[in-house]
Amino acid sequence: MTAQTTNTALTLPSPAKLNLFLHINGRRTDGYHELQTVFQFVDYGDTLSFHLRSDGELTLSPSLPGVADADNLIIKAARKLQQATECTLGADIKLEKRLPMGGGIGGGSSNAATTLHGLNQLWQLGLSEAQLADIGLSLGADVPVFVRGKAAYAEGVGEKLRPVTLPEPWYVVLRPDCHVSTAEVFCDPGLPRNTKKLEKLPEDLWQLNNDCQKLVCDKHPAVEKALQWLLEYAPARMTGTGSCVFAQFDSQIQANACLAAAADTYQGFVAQGINSSPLLKYLNT
């Protein structure tokens, strides 16, 4: 993922994430869920380009199928930033979309975080990372980890973040041919909500679970099928609330061989796990 900048234009990466495990510890009175998870970025994702406008208008191209521009987290993030700073500038935003919607790999949240960072720089607002993360939280629980840009152990609703240093293996990520609604998963009465809170992270995260996985697999056989296919090759699980599933490999050669074997059946990609977001690497140089 490349990044370029001028005084009036900026192009930035918007990486995917994986949930290496996901525990649901309880449901709060406000309807949100207490959870524990570990986020790790991968070196694969969307690309966003921002072109400065002086009239305050915001445009997005291309539009996503089935999503009104006003409902897209990119435009929502830009509007929130304008409102928080009373900024009168605008932007034409172009999205090069690679990450699937409803895949559990954080495409929309990542887009929102990249928009906050990109427009903070393009509009010369000078907001801190913490201020951007606070705005991001109002857009979604996963946005702050993308704003912060560090692999993290998350608690609360996902907003309490503690940076962690993880191995950086290679992953194969498969995208089954289905869309999973995060809202429907968290509203389902069959979702486990009583996993005991971890006192500390184990060294081997593969001994933990994704509490959403069984529910999603039961409701979406395509996810179960993809997961079972991957398990023939390596340790594998679902990320987030799905639908994407991933397997871990020691080398890129192994990961590429697995993806090649899947090519006739599944769409997917190979990417390396990374502990520092390529977005933050660029912005901090």
Side-chain angles (χ1 to χ4, degrees):
M1 291 182 287
T2 60
Q4 297 174 339
T5 182
T6 68
N7 290 331
T8 59
L10 184 64
T11 298
L12 294 170
S14 182
K17 59 82 177 171
L18 297 175
N19 293 88
L20 302 189
F21 79 96
L22 177 57
H23 287 177
I24 311 298
N25 309 118
R27 192 172 193 171
R28 307 191 319 188
T29 55
D30 62 6
Y32 286 97
H33 288 77
E34 290 280 334
L35 57 85
Q36 292 177 309
T37 189
V38 164
F39 295 104
Q40 187 174 36
F41 304 104
V42 295
D43 62 350
Y44 181 89
D46 299 336
T47 301
L48 283 163
S49 297
F50 306 91
H51 296 267
L52 185 66
R53 293 179 66 122
S54 59
D55 59 4
E57 291 298 311
L58 296 166
T59 70
L60 176 65
S61 63
S63 297
L64 293 181
V67 181
D69 286 354
D71 295 328
N72 191 300
L73 281 175
I74 294 170
I75 295 298
K76 285 187 172 184
R79 291 280 182 218
K80 286 273 189 181
L81 195 59
Q82 284 180 326
Q83 293 164 6
T85 61
E86 300 183 348
C87 181
T88 59
L89 298 173
D92 294 317
I93 306 171
K94 293 185 178 180
L95 171 64
E96 187 175 344
K97 193 68 180 166
R98 300 183 188 91
L99 303 178
M101 297 173 61
I105 54 178
S109 296
S110 180
N111 289 169
T114 294
T115 299
L116 292 174
H117 272 295
L119 294 181
N120 184 50
Q121 181 165 319
L122 193 65
W123 293 343
Q124 299 182 26
L125 300 174
L127 295 188
S128 68
E129 185 181 280
Q131 289 173 307
L132 294 177
D134 284 342
I135 295 172
L137 183 59
S138 70
L139 296 162
D142 284 357
V143 179
V145 72
F146 287 102
V147 171
R148 297 288 191 179
K150 299 294 183 184
Y153 175 41
E155 296 185 284
V157 298
E159 87 288 4
K160 298 176 182 176
L161 301 171
R162 188 174 79 227
V164 293
T165 300
L166 304 166
E168 296 184 326
W170 290 87
Y171 296 110
V172 170
V173 181
L174 296 185
R175 173 194 176 189
D177 188 19
C178 64
H179 180 282
V180 177
S181 166
T182 297
E184 289 180 9
V185 170
F186 278 109
C187 288
D188 196 293
L191 178 69
R193 294 181 170 88
N194 60 353
T195 299
K196 185 179 178 180
K197 286 192 176 184
L198 296 170
E199 296 297 326
K200 65 177 182 178
L201 285 177
E203 191 169 318
D204 179 14
L205 297 180
W206 285 98
Q207 67 183 265
L208 304 176
N209 300 305
N210 181 336
D211 284 342
C212 302
Q213 183 171 296
K214 184 180 186 303
L215 174 68
V216 172
C217 285
D218 287 346
K219 290 182 174 293
H220 299 274
V223 176
E224 171 71 12
K225 187 176 178 181
L227 184 61
Q228 293 303 318
W229 189 94
L230 269 182
L231 283 167
E232 295 293 321
Y233 289 84
R237 68 170 41 132
M238 187 179 77
T239 177
T241 55
S243 60
C244 287
V245 294
F246 66 97
Q248 178 179 310
F249 295 88
D250 293 332
S251 73
Q252 186 178 15
I253 292 174
Q254 292 172 320
N256 284 338
C258 175
L259 185 64
D264 292 338
T265 310
Y266 297 107
Q267 293 183 328
F269 59 88
V270 167
Q272 187 173 15
I274 49 177
N275 294 325
S276 183
S277 168
L279 170 64
L280 270 292
K281 282 184 178 180
Y282 171 73
L283 290 172
N284 291 334
T285 55

